[in-house]
Amino acid sequence: MAETHVTAPAAPTRSTFLLSDFLREYGILIIIALLMIGLTLLSPSFLSPRNLLNILNQSAPLALIAAALTLVIISGGFDLSTGAIFGVASVSAAWLAVNVDPTLGMIAGPLLGLLLGVINGLIITGFNVHSFLATLASSMVYRGIAVLITGGALIPVRMEEFAWLGRGRVGMVNVAVLILLVFTVAMMVLLNRTTFGRRVIAVGGNEEAAILSGVRTKLVRIACFGLTGFAAGLAGIIAVSRISMGQPQAGVGLELEAIAAVILGGTSIYGGAGAVWRSIAGVLLLALIGNGFNILNVNPFFKDLTTGVIIVVAVALSAGKKRR
């Protein structure tokens, strides 16, 4: 009887690993570049500085939230309350601007967001509740607070001293874009160059090991949720100053867009790995998809369909990496 030989599958080469790592790190930039080339061919005006800055300006509130939310997801959590915090901060800032002082309104928005984010962290760590469920519940409470503040009505804010944050420019660049750049750099430094950032990664990678290493994991989680709340509050006052109107339903669905951008940027849904700059790239990818569908005058349903498919692929790739 002839002897049968079974050939073992070839082990992945070093070059395969290098290519995989490169695509994982910079793949989203390649996709953005290809999309920009395609949109430029469809509409030569797309690549104009004015249009590109307008895309950045429109994306600034979402990008602020995504930058901070990256730390929450890296630490192993989820935050479904950012849209509701955005709404509460925007109507609170609008009410204070109209009834007390515009400057106080602008200061109060981010601080209120910080407070609500810390409350999220305290609930999650104090009662040992999963962040998904805790922030889902808190989002309903916060949205109710926004309705109570306004009585369900809109709050017009037509003041120059309030509008500059959302409409002002420094040269060609909007103030909101400058704020986004400063905040993004701050989050990148915090995550990559500080002890706190290393602890965030440690908590998301292996919480038990982090505890044994002396990391105060509860404080790390509370701080991450506080930062995300602050970012949502800051985004809220930028939005309300831009449209000169506080509305209790502002930010509905924003939390899902922010999570989608972070996942598209390659941050692991299991925690322990991610990058702030890639989350910003994820926001820009979503913005470019929307801009492209507007240029093509395509039914918005297909935009949502395309975005959903891309997110499913990103999650599948993240899950595949975890299994390996």
Side-chain angles (χ1 to χ4, degrees), residues 69 71-79 124 130-132 204 221 225 268-271:
L69 184 62
L71 273 66
V72 168
I73 295 180
I74 289 175
S75 70
F78 268 88
D79 193 343
I124 291 163
H130 194 284
S131 57
F132 185 94
R221 289 188 183 277
F225 280 97
S268 173
I269 58 175
Y270 300 100

Side-chain angles (χ1 to χ4, degrees), residues 6-12:
V6 178
T7 304

